[in-house]
Each structure stands twice: as structure tokens, then as C-alpha cells.
Amino acid sequence: MKAQVKRIFDERARKELDVLEDEGSTPRIKAVTGRYLTLLAEAGYLIPGVGPQSRKDIVGLMAIQEELAQISGSLFLSVEVTARMFAGVVRGFGDPSKTGEMTERVQRGQAIGAVAVSEPAKPGFTGSIYTRARADKDCYVVSGEKDFVTNGPIADYLAVFGRIEDKLAVFLVQPGDQGLCMSPRLKTLGYNGLAVCSLKLDEVVLSSERVLGPFDEDAALDFVRHTENLILCVASLGLMQRSIFSAKAHAARQEREGKSVIAHQEVRFKLAEMLTLLQSSQLLTYRAGWLYGNSDREAATLVHCAKVFTAEAAERVSGLAMQIMAGQGYLWGNPVERCYREAKYAALAGTTSERARMSIADDLLARYQ
Ligand SMILES: Cc1cc2nc3c(=O)[nH]c(=O)nc-3n(C[C@H](O)[C@H](O)[C@H](O)COP(=O)(O)OP(=O)(O)OC[C@H]3O[C@@H](n4cnc5c(N)ncnc54)[C@H](O)[C@@H]3O)c2cc1C
């Protein structure tokens, strides 16, 4: 499948994705993402690792995810939010007789999905989710706000996390639902080929078929958080690979003081450090995926360790790549400048590095008491 993914993204496709990064309008992002989703579906990319029941596939899945992540970070994140996060929640926690068609459309690459968990801070509120629904006859009426939703502006379906009384539930909304209001697309520092917006739900009425839950436990939330964190680890691996490839190619091409840049020891040491960080990140990510796939009790800790390490390694590697390319790297729009901007994302998205460190320390204390 790695070879198939490579074949889809030939020179022409990569150029198209580059243009999307620099000047992609929302309709263009929707059209291009939709087209590649269909091609990836035909290659079987959207099938493995969907939902908690497919956890066992995760290590194999990571190998093919890495292939896409090194081609385009934005497309990778958009595809994974659709295929692994949205479809994973619906398949893992929905009733197939009600949501089967939705999952099938996504797995055939015919629909784009989004998952909305994060919310703006609410003074005095100590929980993590305040989007709420109340039952009204056969329906639920949902109200709340979500502040960043990847794929939001281009999604066909959105899985919005909230609560019914105190129990977790997932509300399946669609653009055009009355009371659902999307902000204009948000401008971000990096991953500019990704369409992100915020959401407001003002008394959105949903039939019970479009509500997953209410659940007695928060397993759906844990699933989506671990899945997102592992996706962000792989996004960082792809970013490091792009940085190393560009810096090495530049250093081998460019001559200074009578020898190629790569012949200078200081530059070679940087490349050595970059490769060491990439390899260590890869090992840790695959180990976290393997433990998660085997439902090991240490899995959650290792996913957090991998998330923190790979995010910080990606920042370091893209910084070193820019140092090697110097002025050329600093020019707007080249791959290393893009990686440098994108690298920050992994540390602040999903479980932030601070929250992850707190959780690692908690796990450690609990284990060695
Ligand atoms: C481009 C983009 C796309 C996104 N896409 C999605 C999406 O599709 N779906 C979705 O649900 N979310 C999405 N997000 C949201 C993202 O997951 C959040 O930004 C992330 O979870 C951090 O939350 P926050 O921004 O509210 O930061 P805050 O929680 O406000 O944190 C602010 C700071 O305080 C620290 N902090 C907070 N709590 C603690 C604590 N308990 N212990 C220690 N430190 C703490 C944080 O680490 C951080 O440094 C996206 C964000 C961006 C920027």
C-alpha cells in the first residue's frame, strides 16, 4: 500500500498540493481533498485502523500513514480526521443500522468528516465539555460552541462532542442544519492547505438517529484523543522527513569555500542529529502504537511520551534544516520554511505538551507507589 500511495502522489499531484498550501481557496481545498480521498479509498488506505475494534491494525497503518504524512502534512491531517477520527467514532460508538451509510460513504472516499471536541474557555466552568443537549419528545436540542474544527468548512458530516445531562454523547450534524453556524475559515500559522473554522450550535434539533450515546463512560472521548495524538506523532514524522530531505539536498547541491556545504563538519553534525531525532521519534511512535494496539496498560502513558517527544523533535529538526539552508530556507514558500511554521502545531494541538507531561508524571507516580 505504501507503493500505491507513492504512485498516487506523482510529481503533478505534489505540485497541486503545493499550490493548495500557498493559495488554496476553501472550495478548491474541498475539491482537491475529496479527489485524493477517493483515490486513497481505491487504494484501500481508508480501511485499516478505523474504530477501537481495529486497534490491532495500528502499527501496519502507521507505516502507510507515514508515507502520506511526508508528502503533505495538510492533506494527511485532513484525511486522517475523516478516516480515522470521524469514521472511527461513528463506527466504534454508533449503531450500524443508523450510521452505516455515513461510514460507508466516508470509507469510499465520498464524504469528508470533522470532529469537534475543543471549546472556548468558559469562566468558572471546571469540566472539559459544556456543549449540552436536552431531550425534547423524540429529538435532542443541542447548544454549544467549538473553537477549532479541522475540515469544518469542507465537511459533509461533523461529529460534535457534548453531554446529555452529565453523560457523554456525540451529535452528528451536517452543514445546513438549522441553528448550526460556522465561522469564516480561520487563518493559521501553518498547515495552510487545511480548512479550519469554529462552530456555534444554537438549539440544533437532531433526531435520536443522529445522536451517539448517551454513554455511561467517556470511552469515545479517550478513543478520539489517543487517535488524534498518534496522528499528530505521525504528522511530525512526516514533517521531519521533509525537513531532512530538503536540507540534505540543499547541502549536497550548494558549494561554499571550495567545497559542498555537506562537506562541512558542522553541517554534517546537524544532519546526524536530525536523523537521530527522526529515528528515535519513529521508534517511540511505533512502540506507542504497538502498546495501544495491544491494549497494554502502559499505552496511554507511551502515547503521551511519543506525542511530547516527536512534537519537540519536529521543532528542533525543522529549525536545524533552516539553519543548514540559511537564507534559502528563510524564503517564503519553500518546504523547510513551511515545516518550520507547521512544526509548532503538534505541541499545542490534541493533548498539549504540558497536559501530556502532567499525565505522564501522574501515571508514573501511580505505577511506582
Ligand atoms: C489549526 C487547529 C486545528 C484544530 N482542530 C481541531 C479539531 O478538529 N477538533 C478539535 O476538537 N480541536 C481542534 N483543535 C484544538 C486543539 O486540539 C486545541 O488547541 C488543543 O487541545 C489545546 O487547547 P486550547 O487551545 O484550548 O489551549 P488551552 O487548554 O487553553 O491551554 C492553554 C495553555 O495552558 C496549558 N494548560 C491547560 N490546561 C493545563 C493543565 N491541566 N495542566 C497544565 N497545563 C495546562 C496548555 O498546555 C497551554 O499551554 C485545533 C487547533 C488548531 C490550532
Side-chain angles (χ1 to χ4, degrees):
M1 200 177 294
K2 284 177 76 162
Q4 272 177 288
V5 171
K6 227 181 215 147
R7 261 199 301 280
I8 295 172
F9 296 97
D10 57 13
E11 199 59 31
R12 197 192 54 78
R14 285 169 194 248
K15 277 208 180 104
E16 181 176 41
L17 292 171
D18 268 358
V19 174
L20 207 62
E21 211 63 55
D22 293 336
E23 52 203 55
S25 64
T26 308
R28 182 105 195 100
I29 291 180
K30 184 171 172 81
V32 173
T33 304
R35 181 151 41 79
Y36 287 115
L37 265 173
T38 311
L39 292 172
L40 287 165
E42 284 164 11
Y45 183 96
L46 309 185
I47 303 294
V50 179
Q53 57 270 61
S54 303
R55 278 164 85 139
K56 285 247 175 255
D57 298 347
I58 241 157
V59 174
L61 170 65
M62 279 177 165
I64 53 167
Q65 283 178 322
E66 252 198 286
E67 200 63 48
L68 182 58
Q70 59 179 292
I71 291 164
S72 162
S74 296
L75 184 69
F76 171 70
L77 290 174
S78 178
V79 166
E80 292 301 325
V81 166
T82 298
R84 248 60 71 172
M85 289 177 62
F86 176 81
V89 168
V90 175
R91 184 166 175 230
F93 300 91
D95 172 351
S97 67
K98 295 177 189 162
T99 55
E101 192 195 324
M102 204 178 273
T103 327
E104 256 184 48
R105 281 197 68 208
V106 170
Q107 293 211 315
R108 278 196 242 114
Q110 292 169 347
I112 296 174
V115 175
V117 179
S118 308
E119 299 184 338
K122 192 170 182 168
F125 180 75
T126 50
S128 66
I129 294 178
Y130 61 78
T131 293
R132 285 285 186 281
R134 61 180 161 79
D136 185 14
K137 296 180 195 137
D138 296 343
C139 296
Y140 287 98
V141 184
V142 193
S143 294
E145 280 179 67
K146 299 286 170 185
D147 55 2
F148 304 98
V149 186
T150 296
N151 285 348
I154 61 171
D156 300 286
Y157 306 117
L158 300 98
V160 176
F161 279 68
R163 294 202 184 269
I164 297 171
E165 293 175 357
D166 279 340
K167 292 188 173 180
L168 187 74
V170 182
F171 307 105
L172 301 173
V173 298
Q174 286 185 262
D177 280 346
Q178 206 165 3
L180 175 68
C181 180
M182 285 188 199
S183 75
R185 196 169 137 209
L186 301 172
K187 283 194 170 172
T188 51
L189 176 67
Y191 291 116
N192 300 130
L194 207 57
V196 183
C197 70
S198 58
L199 290 185
K200 210 172 214 166
L201 295 98
D202 184 11
E203 306 251 301
V204 178
V205 179
L206 296 177
S207 66
S208 55
E209 309 226 313
R210 288 169 65 189
V211 178
L212 315 185
F215 304 107
D216 289 331
E217 291 176 347
D218 280 1
L221 194 56
D222 292 342
F223 164 77
V224 93
R225 288 200 165 129
H226 287 314
T227 305
E228 181 182 29
N229 287 336
L230 287 170
I231 290 168
L232 289 165
C233 289
V234 180
S236 293
L237 297 183
L239 188 151
M240 283 187 256
Q241 277 157 349
R242 285 198 298 283
S243 299
I244 293 174
F245 179 82
S246 299
K248 187 187 137 195
H250 175 87
R253 217 174 29 234
Q254 191 93 338
E255 257 200 34
R256 278 288 182 250
E257 294 165 26
K259 54 184 183 180
S260 72
V261 167
I262 209 165
H264 292 279
Q265 198 174 46
E266 254 299 323
V267 171
R268 296 168 75 102
F269 282 172
K270 284 190 176 56
L271 285 166
E273 184 182 341
M274 290 155 78
L275 187 63
T276 308
L277 284 170
L278 168 63
Q279 291 282 346
S280 319
S281 302
Q282 254 172 343
L283 273 176
L284 195 48
T285 299
Y286 278 77
R287 177 163 160 74
W290 182 72
L291 290 180
Y292 183 66
N294 285 292
S295 307
D296 191 281
R297 67 189 182 90
E298 273 196 88
T301 316
L302 259 288
V303 171
H304 286 142
C305 293
K307 167 83 170 32
V308 170
F309 188 84
T310 52
E312 290 176 3
E315 284 187 58
R316 172 89 181 139
V317 167
S318 61
L320 288 170
M322 185 169 294
Q323 194 64 30
I324 290 175
M325 290 184 66
Q328 289 296 320
Y330 202 66
L331 293 181
W332 188 81
N334 79 80
V336 163
E337 179 267 347
R338 198 177 285 156
C339 287
Y340 191 79
R341 284 187 283 109
E342 291 173 352
K344 190 68 223 166
Y345 180 65
L348 60 86
T351 307
T352 62
S353 292
E354 292 77 11
R355 282 176 183 269
R357 280 193 163 91
M358 297 292 289
S359 165
I360 294 166
D362 286 347
D363 294 348
L364 202 67
L365 287 173
R367 205 153 1 108
Y368 291 104
Q369 247 171 17

